[in-house]
Amino acid sequence: MSEPTRSLNCPRCSSAMEPGYIIDVAYGTRAVPKWVAGLPQKSIWTGLKVRGLDQIDVATYRCRRCGYLESYASG
Protein backbone atom coordinates (compact mmCIF):
# COMPACT_ATOMS: atom_id res chain seq x y z
CA MET A 1 0.00 0.00 0.00
CA SER A 2 1.37 3.39 -0.90
CA GLU A 3 1.55 6.06 1.77
CA PRO A 4 -1.46 8.43 1.63
CA THR A 5 -0.42 11.92 0.57
CA ARG A 6 -3.59 13.94 1.15
CA SER A 7 -3.60 16.82 3.60
CA LEU A 8 -7.08 17.07 5.04
CA ASN A 9 -8.94 19.04 7.64
CA CYS A 10 -11.68 17.40 9.69
CA PRO A 11 -15.19 18.14 8.32
CA ARG A 12 -16.51 18.23 11.90
CA CYS A 13 -14.03 20.38 13.84
CA SER A 14 -11.60 21.67 11.13
CA SER A 15 -8.48 20.24 12.85
CA ALA A 16 -5.70 18.48 10.97
CA MET A 17 -6.25 14.82 10.05
CA GLU A 18 -3.46 12.25 10.03
CA PRO A 19 -3.16 9.39 7.50
CA GLY A 20 -3.37 5.77 8.58
CA TYR A 21 -5.25 2.56 7.90
CA ILE A 22 -7.71 0.14 9.47
CA ILE A 23 -6.66 -3.49 9.90
CA ASP A 24 -8.95 -6.17 8.45
CA VAL A 25 -8.51 -9.38 10.50
CA ALA A 26 -9.69 -12.81 9.28
CA TYR A 27 -8.51 -16.37 9.98
CA GLY A 28 -5.38 -15.21 11.77
CA THR A 29 -4.26 -12.85 9.00
CA ARG A 30 -4.11 -9.06 8.90
CA ALA A 31 -4.63 -6.98 5.78
CA VAL A 32 -5.55 -3.50 4.62
CA PRO A 33 -9.23 -3.36 3.55
CA LYS A 34 -9.93 -3.17 -0.19
CA TRP A 35 -12.61 -1.34 -2.16
CA VAL A 36 -14.27 -3.31 -4.97
CA ALA A 37 -16.68 -1.79 -7.51
CA GLY A 38 -20.23 -3.11 -7.79
CA LEU A 39 -22.50 -5.05 -5.49
CA PRO A 40 -21.11 -7.97 -3.44
CA GLN A 41 -21.71 -11.46 -4.84
CA LYS A 42 -21.75 -14.31 -2.33
CA SER A 43 -19.39 -17.26 -2.65
CA ILE A 44 -19.83 -20.55 -0.80
CA TRP A 45 -16.05 -21.04 -0.53
CA THR A 46 -14.61 -17.58 0.12
CA GLY A 47 -17.54 -15.50 1.39
CA LEU A 48 -17.43 -13.07 -1.56
CA LYS A 49 -16.52 -13.43 -5.22
CA VAL A 50 -13.68 -11.01 -6.02
CA ARG A 51 -11.52 -12.95 -8.51
CA GLY A 52 -10.75 -10.80 -11.56
CA LEU A 53 -12.17 -7.62 -10.00
CA ASP A 54 -10.06 -4.51 -9.43
CA GLN A 55 -9.33 -3.99 -5.73
CA ILE A 56 -8.09 -0.69 -4.30
CA ASP A 57 -6.49 -0.26 -0.86
CA VAL A 58 -8.51 1.90 1.52
CA ALA A 59 -6.63 4.70 3.34
CA THR A 60 -8.22 6.15 6.45
CA TYR A 61 -7.61 9.55 8.03
CA ARG A 62 -8.17 10.33 11.73
CA CYS A 63 -8.81 13.74 13.23
CA ARG A 64 -6.23 14.50 15.90
CA ARG A 65 -8.72 16.50 17.96
CA CYS A 66 -12.10 14.69 17.82
CA GLY A 67 -11.14 11.24 16.48
CA TYR A 68 -13.44 11.37 13.42
CA LEU A 69 -12.45 8.81 10.74
CA GLU A 70 -12.80 9.29 6.98
CA SER A 71 -11.78 6.67 4.41
CA TYR A 72 -10.66 6.99 0.79
CA ALA A 73 -9.90 4.50 -1.98
CA SER A 74 -7.72 6.39 -4.43
CA GLY A 75 -5.99 4.03 -6.76
Side-chain angles (χ1 to χ4, degrees), residues 16-69:
M17 295 183 80
E18 60 184 338
Y21 58 96
I22 296 172
I23 297 174
D24 196 6
V25 178
Y27 299 108
T29 63
R30 294 182 186 109
V32 175
K34 309 281 189 227
W35 179 87
V36 181
L39 297 175
Q41 296 180 0
K42 291 183 181 180
S43 167
I44 294 171
W45 306 109
T46 60
L48 292 174
K49 295 179 182 179
V50 294
R51 179 176 283 176
L53 299 176
D54 289 335
Q55 299 178 37
I56 300 171
D57 287 346
V58 175
T60 302
Y61 290 78
R62 185 183 78 81
C63 176
R64 294 176 182 182
R65 181 187 295 167
C66 73
Y68 174 77
L69 297 177

